[in-house]
Amino acid sequence: MSLQTLGPVVLVGAGKMGGAMLEGWLARGLPPASLTVLDPAPSAELSALAAGKGFHLNPVCSTTPPQIAVIAVKPQVMDDVLGGVAARIPEACAVVSVAAGKTIANLARHFPPGQPIIRTIPNTPAAIGRGITVCVANGEVDASQRAAASSLLEACGAVAWIDDEALMDAVTAVSGSGPAYVFLLAECLAEAGVAAGLSADLAMQLARVTVSGAGELLNRSDLDPATLRKNVTSPGGTTEAALRVLMGEAGLRELMTDAVAAATKRGKELAG
């Protein structure tokens, strides 16, 4: 579904994630006249963007029912926000939440029975259009609403759908929290470079460019990560010596498995 033909759309919350989606939608051709943004404390930048682009910001009332509403507020304020805006969302409108930890059941209690609801888990690279968002829908969401949600979310990167909401905790542990694992890798790699005698500035430059460059190579390549790793590894060379440590007992594979398991467990606890 084309963004040019999509609408009307309501965005609730234009902070970091909501603001990134908003910019992506406008850049990809969503008609500003079909977009309404509801934000309790709009920044000067958001107000200027609304004035310049022509979308509606905090209108007193709306005469056109939205086709889809994207809720992009922090989980800890979700209940309060939905308590104030749910009445402005018609029953036929698909509600898309990007709040971590808020289940479909959590969201549904703010709406009448039968409300189409889509729960999503994005990640922070969405801010530069390189994220991935995983979605799960309740039984009220039809094919056209899925397509509309995908079109909006694709403004921030890749989109994947799952059928089992119970998997969202594992999704959060891998992709939602995953950028932090990569940043830690760069941090540790730089610290290791300093320990090996490099200056802090050079070590950080090497780590930053190496991690981002390897990620882009992985993104562009049709090869799987294991093959790319093997392509860098010469028998008896320096990479093999390092990987012998990283792939040894209690090495990176085991640490990452334990880390994702811990994040998954915590996600279940937070969801109640």
Side-chain angles (χ1 to χ4, degrees):
M1 181 177 293
S2 169
L3 285 184
Q4 287 83 354
T5 60
L6 185 62
V9 175
V10 169
L11 172 64
V12 181
K16 289 184 178 178
M17 188 61 67
M21 289 191 291
L22 173 60
E23 291 183 10
W25 298 343
L26 296 172
R28 292 176 58 146
L30 181 68
S34 71
L35 174 62
T36 297
V37 177
L38 304 178
D39 191 287
S43 65
E45 291 80 5
L46 178 60
S47 298
L49 186 64
K53 296 293 185 179
F55 60 84
H56 309 287
L57 177 60
N58 293 333
V60 175
C61 61
S62 176
T63 58
T64 306
Q67 174 186 355
I68 190 165
V70 179
I71 316 298
V73 298
K74 294 180 179 179
Q76 56 267 36
V77 301
M78 174 68 81
D79 290 336
D80 290 340
V81 170
L82 285 182
V85 304
R88 302 179 66 171
I89 300 174
E91 293 183 30
C93 174
V95 176
V96 179
S97 166
V98 298
K102 289 295 183 180
T103 66
I104 289 175
N106 291 150
L107 300 165
R109 62 191 180 87
H110 293 281
F111 299 96
Q115 188 84 42
I117 297 175
I118 299 170
R119 177 187 174 190
T120 76
I121 298 293
N123 61 5
T124 54
I128 59 169
R130 291 293 303 277
I132 183 166
T133 303
V134 178
C135 313
V136 62
N138 68 2
E140 311 300 329
V141 177
D142 62 29
S144 66
Q145 290 167 330
R146 281 180 178 248
S150 289
S151 294
L152 290 171
L153 296 169
E154 284 168 357
C156 291
V159 175
W161 289 82
I162 60 174
D163 296 323
D164 184 359
E165 188 180 6
L167 294 176
M168 290 299 261
D169 294 312
V171 168
T172 303
V174 174
S175 64
S177 301
Y181 314 156
V182 177
F183 300 148
L184 177 61
L185 171 63
E187 182 183 349
C188 292
L189 188 57
E191 290 173 355
V194 171
L198 299 176
S199 70
D201 287 346
L202 178 57
M204 179 54 70
Q205 181 185 14
L206 293 176
R208 179 187 292 268
V209 177
T210 298
V211 170
S212 61
E216 185 60 25
L217 178 60
L218 176 61
N219 180 62
R220 296 188 186 188
S221 178
D222 293 330
L223 301 175
D224 60 82
T227 300
L228 291 171
R229 167 178 55 79
K230 292 172 184 176
N231 288 347
V232 183
T233 308
S234 300
T238 58
T239 306
E240 184 181 70
L243 289 176
R244 193 175 295 118
V245 176
L246 291 172
M247 298 176 71
E249 186 176 352
L252 183 59
R253 181 171 284 109
E254 286 73 18
L255 285 172
M256 191 61 71
T257 300
D258 290 346
V260 169
T264 302
K265 178 176 181 291
R266 183 55 178 158
K268 295 180 185 301
E269 293 170 351
L270 291 173

